Amino acid sequence: MQAYDVDLYSDQVILEPYDHYRAIRDLGPAVWLPKHGMWCLARFEDVRAALRDWEGFSSAQGIAANEVINTGSLGNTITTDPPKHTRMRGVIRTPLSAPALKDVAPQIEAEAERLVERLVKQKKFDAMADCAQHLPITIVSGLVGLPEKGRANMLRWAAATFDALGVMNARGTEALPHIRELHDYCADARTLSGLSPDGWAAALWRAADAGTIPHSKCPAMMRDYISPSLDTTIFAIGSLIWLFARHPEQWEQVRTNLSLIPGAINEALRLESPIRGFTRVLTRAATYGDTQIPAGDRVLLLYASANRDERKWEDPERFDVARDNREHLGFGFGPHICVGMHLARLEITALIKAFAHRVKRFEIGQPARAVNNVLRGFSHLPVTVH
């Protein structure tokens, strides 16, 4: 049995993870993590196969790396398996499908144009607070249809949610009161009475009234709109701007050929995956080479490592907007693939198009990384545009 005796949720590894991921990949297809009492799959083909095999790699016992969350948050969309997951996801997905988003695309594109025009006039701005957070907070919170208190706290609740999905270290423990606040908010009668009737959250309750889902699931499904819809998109936007600043020749290709935007987004999601990975529980024993993982053991599926696996990608640490990167796992894969990925692509595309018409070059100052148990991205990213 190959083991990697390092705390993957320490500040040091969170800030500089990629050498550790490579070391795990090189040890073998399945590696034991003594610090966390679970296994790790870090190679592309193994992670993708596990994500596809929901029957063998179950989400129904939680996807966190700790039992506090795994025993306390079961039954929401991401902690169920088909067919229950399929029914719940179908309701969540309705306003997030590509056809449904056609109606909101003009609003997102117009807001992106206004934002970028303002930022370019400023010339200097924080790519996180001033740019990456803007569309998710102003547009998405409105589409979800939360009362004002919910919109004001979405970022804090989302960051806490992802911290708690790692191990129960100091960050995970400190996240718990924020998560309880979110749970209480989504079940509060005052929240429900204040929902916008045209919003996505109110549509969940109408689906329950129609018998599609149980009413008891609605608060948890509201949380699915609040937490995953923000930080992943925000961090992806920040990482893409950072990569364009570090690789001006790649930005030159994109701004003069807008058909490369989808590939550029995929490349940023591959190279700087916003979500490091989630766990699953094996329902049956699995064999990897000489290693057998018993049924009932928990396995960390390390998306961010799989997306840099030398066995899959040629020169995987190179940022190349023309790469065929459609198979990246930045949005996950299989039944639990990110339900909001079309919205994320729409927001990021609108921003990049707006920048492409106005900016020849990005120059970055001293960035600061966010330290989160599950997410990777920047907390601050000073940018000057030329």
Side-chain angles (χ1 to χ4, degrees), residues 173-242:
T173 302
E174 291 166 4
L176 294 178
H178 303 288
I179 293 174
R180 284 194 292 270
E181 181 186 346
L182 170 59
H183 285 211
D184 292 343
Y185 173 80
C186 290
D188 193 317
R190 291 168 297 183
T191 301
L192 306 184
S193 65
L195 294 177
S196 170
D198 299 324
W200 298 347
L204 297 174
W205 294 92
R206 290 196 295 273
D209 290 341
T212 306
I213 54 173
H215 283 89
S216 61
K217 296 293 184 186
C218 290
M221 294 172 72
M222 280 176 59
R223 299 197 298 271
D224 291 334
Y225 280 140
I226 293 172
S227 298
S229 63
L230 292 176
D231 288 63
T232 48
T233 304
I234 290 167
F235 283 163
I237 292 168
S239 292
L240 187 51
I241 292 174
W242 177 70

Side-chain angles (χ1 to χ4, degrees), residues 21-65:
Y21 297 167
R22 186 185 305 108
I24 295 172
R25 291 195 301 270
D26 289 345
L27 280 173
V31 175
W32 177 247
L33 303 176
K35 288 283 192 297
H36 308 306
M38 61 184 176
W39 298 88
C40 180
L41 303 186
R43 296 178 180 178
F44 178 86
E45 292 297 341
D46 299 320
V47 173
R48 185 171 66 166
L51 290 170
R52 182 192 294 118
D53 180 15
W54 61 267
E55 292 174 301
F57 290 80
S58 173
S59 300
Q61 296 180 56
I63 64 168

Side-chain angles (χ1 to χ4, degrees), residues 18-315:
Y18 297 121
D19 287 346
H20 295 282
Y21 297 167
R22 186 185 305 108
I24 295 172
R25 291 195 301 270
D26 289 345
L27 280 173
V31 175
W32 177 247
L33 303 176
K35 288 283 192 297
H36 308 306
M38 61 184 176
W39 298 88
C40 180
L41 303 186
R43 296 178 180 178
F44 178 86
E45 292 297 341
D46 299 320
V47 173
R48 185 171 66 166
L51 290 170
R52 182 192 294 118
D53 180 15
W54 61 267
E55 292 174 301
F57 290 80
S58 173
S59 300
Q61 296 180 56
I63 64 168
N66 70 85
E67 291 310 303
V68 174
I69 294 298
N70 285 333
T71 56
S73 63
L74 300 182
N76 62 10
T77 311
I78 61 173
T79 57
T80 54
D81 291 326
K84 185 184 297 183
H85 172 264
T86 306
R87 289 194 299 271
M88 295 171 69
R89 182 184 173 91
V91 175
I92 289 279
R93 183 180 179 275
T94 298
L96 290 167
S97 65
L101 288 172
K102 288 181 180 178
D103 293 336
V104 302
Q107 179 186 0
I108 290 174
E109 290 163 358
E111 186 62 30
E113 288 287 335
R114 286 191 292 268
L115 170 65
V116 170
E117 184 174 7
R118 184 169 72 249
L119 294 176
V120 170
K121 286 181 180 178
Q122 291 176 208
K123 191 168 182 178
K124 296 177 183 289
F125 55 89
D126 184 341
M128 304 310 298
D130 301 329
C131 178
Q133 294 177 7
H134 184 80
L135 288 181
I137 291 176
T138 59
I139 300 294
V140 177
S141 65
L143 294 172
V144 175
L146 298 177
E148 181 59 34
K149 179 185 176 184
R151 295 197 299 273
N153 287 290
M154 284 177 78
L155 277 179
R156 176 169 59 85
W157 288 337
T161 297
F162 284 104
D163 264 332
L165 288 170
V167 296
M168 199 45 60
N169 53 13
R171 275 186 296 276
T173 302
E174 291 166 4
L176 294 178
H178 303 288
I179 293 174
R180 284 194 292 270
E181 181 186 346
L182 170 59
H183 285 211
D184 292 343
Y185 173 80
C186 290
D188 193 317
R190 291 168 297 183
T191 301
L192 306 184
S193 65
L195 294 177
S196 170
D198 299 324
W200 298 347
L204 297 174
W205 294 92
R206 290 196 295 273
D209 290 341
T212 306
I213 54 173
H215 283 89
S216 61
K217 296 293 184 186
C218 290
M221 294 172 72
M222 280 176 59
R223 299 197 298 271
D224 291 334
Y225 280 140
I226 293 172
S227 298
S229 63
L230 292 176
D231 288 63
T232 48
T233 304
I234 290 167
F235 283 163
I237 292 168
S239 292
L240 187 51
I241 292 174
W242 177 70
L243 287 164
F244 281 144
R246 296 184 69 204
H247 303 277
E249 78 289 350
Q250 298 294 308
W251 173 241
E252 181 66 19
Q253 288 186 53
V254 170
R255 78 177 191 89
T256 57
N257 181 2
L258 298 184
S259 69
L260 291 174
I261 290 177
I265 295 171
N266 282 338
E267 188 70 341
L269 291 165
R270 182 192 70 81
L271 199 59
E272 290 289 325
S273 305
I275 293 179
R276 302 169 70 201
F278 292 132
T279 71
R280 300 289 193 270
V281 169
L282 277 176
T283 62
R284 56 176 181 262
T287 301
Y288 293 89
D290 297 331
T291 300
Q292 184 174 71
I293 305 178
D297 278 16
R298 189 166 290 277
V299 182
L300 172 63
L301 305 180
L302 208 50
Y303 312 163
S305 172
N307 280 335
R308 288 183 174 228
D309 184 3
E310 304 84 351
R311 297 153 192 80
K312 169 64 179 177
W313 314 100
E314 183 179 350
D315 196 5

